[in-house]
């Protein structure tokens, strides 16, 4: 098995230790980082996503694969940031779980999948205030803002944040996508969101479509 196939398998199997070991080896051997991502680790997370869609993988397996991918990226992060070409072409996506909601698994998986797809992901946190999210949008200037709400009691915050962006005159500067168990396309349309997805694979597709 060559090193790229081993990277793919490490992610598929959710083996964080092996993913880190292979990422370090890639740096030591001076491998092309784009290939390390595209035909190594990224191929693994994409395959995990396909298996999840086909119901051959379930949420625990997908989370393990996402964790292995994140572990590899944490090793490669500095080198990737030094790649000026990649940095210049990067698209920022900010993700957050709205205030009053402590659920973060969905947000974390979406963030990992978007990172794997080559986007610069900024995790604003879980149960963070609307004011904090607004402040970070002004500071970071993301192309996409993803808002997760897993409770019917917190989904209204998605609408409140969009309203705050409008009041600040910066709504047109960022695409807002939403997700979470109680929300759907009808809710997205009602509150003026730019899109909705019900899983991480669909979220990556949605981001690509909105940026096309």
């Amino acid at each position: 098995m060559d090193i790229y196939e081993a990277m793919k398998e490490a992610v598929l199997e959710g083996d964080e230790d092996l993913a880190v070991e292979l990422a370090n080896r890639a740096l030591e051997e001076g491998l092309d980082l784009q290939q390390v991502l595209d035909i190594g680790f990224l191929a693994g997370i994409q395959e995990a996503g396909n298996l999840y869609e086909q119901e051959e993988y379930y949420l625990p397996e997908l989370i393990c694969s996402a964790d292995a991918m994140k572990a590899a990226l944490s090793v490669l992060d500095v080198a990737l940031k030094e790649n000026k070409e990649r940095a210049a072409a990067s698209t920022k996506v900010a993700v957050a779980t709205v205030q009053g909601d402590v659920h973060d698994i969905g947000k974390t998986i979406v963030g990992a999948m978007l990172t794997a797809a080559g986007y610069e992901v900024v995790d604003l946190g879980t149960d963070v205030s609307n004011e904090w999210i607004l402040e970070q949008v002004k500071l970071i200037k993301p192309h996409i803002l993803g808002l997760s709400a897993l409770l019917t009691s917190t989904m209204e915050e998605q609408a409140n944040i969009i309203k705050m962006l409008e009041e600040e005159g910066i709504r047109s500067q960022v695409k807002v996508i939403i997700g979470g168990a109680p929300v759907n396309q009808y809710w997205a349309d009602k509150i003026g969101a730019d899109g909705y997805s019900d899983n991480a694979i669909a979220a990556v597709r949605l981001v690509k479509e909105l940026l096309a």
Side-chain angles (χ1 to χ4, degrees):
M1 183 185 299
D2 70 18
I3 188 169
Y4 298 112
E5 186 65 23
M7 290 169 180
K8 177 182 175 181
E9 289 301 315
V11 172
L12 271 175
E13 294 171 10
D15 191 332
E16 293 182 50
D17 291 338
L18 180 57
V20 167
E21 179 185 327
L22 291 168
N24 279 314
R25 183 176 155 193
L27 293 177
E28 290 167 4
E29 296 182 7
L31 299 181
D32 182 283
L33 293 182
Q34 198 60 55
Q35 287 193 327
V36 168
L37 286 176
D38 291 346
I39 62 177
F41 296 116
L42 177 54
I45 199 69
Q46 287 177 332
E47 180 62 21
N50 291 337
L51 291 171
Y52 179 72
E53 283 194 322
Q54 296 161 14
E55 297 185 351
E56 292 183 36
Y57 266 24
Y58 296 97
L59 193 56
E61 287 89 352
L62 188 60
I63 291 172
C64 287
S65 288
D67 285 344
M69 179 75 203
K70 286 195 295 181
L73 286 173
S74 68
V75 173
L76 300 172
D77 189 51
V78 174
L80 286 170
K81 284 179 178 175
E82 288 173 355
N83 185 329
K84 292 182 180 178
E85 262 187 36
R86 181 180 175 84
S90 68
T91 299
K92 289 183 182 178
V93 181
V95 295
T97 302
V98 298
Q99 65 184 18
D101 202 321
V102 298
H103 299 85
D104 70 346
I105 291 178
K107 171 181 64 65
T108 301
I109 293 174
V110 168
M113 295 293 284
L114 287 168
T115 299
Y119 299 105
E120 180 183 344
V121 176
V122 182
D123 192 333
L124 301 181
T126 301
D127 186 17
V128 289
S129 72
N130 296 349
E131 291 74 19
W132 165 254
I133 292 173
L134 186 66
E135 181 183 329
Q136 292 306 301
V137 168
K138 291 178 180 178
L139 180 66
I140 299 167
K141 294 181 172 57
H143 300 81
I144 302 281
L145 173 63
L147 300 172
S148 175
L150 275 292
L151 303 169
T152 53
S153 59
T154 60
M155 57 190 282
E156 189 66 36
E157 301 303 341
Q158 294 173 326
N160 291 337
I161 292 166
I162 290 175
K163 185 177 179 181
M164 291 171 71
L165 290 169
E166 291 170 348
E167 290 173 347
E168 290 292 319
I170 57 175
R171 175 65 183 90
S172 62
Q173 298 173 21
V174 60
K175 300 288 188 182
V176 180
I177 62 174
I178 63 169
V183 307
N184 51 33
Q185 188 61 55
Y186 171 79
W187 175 246
D189 293 339
K190 181 179 179 180
I191 67 175
D194 295 290
Y196 152 79
S197 67
D198 61 359
N199 64 72
I201 308 300
V204 174
R205 288 201 199 102
L206 177 60
V207 167
K208 288 180 179 177
E209 290 168 5
L210 289 174
L211 295 172

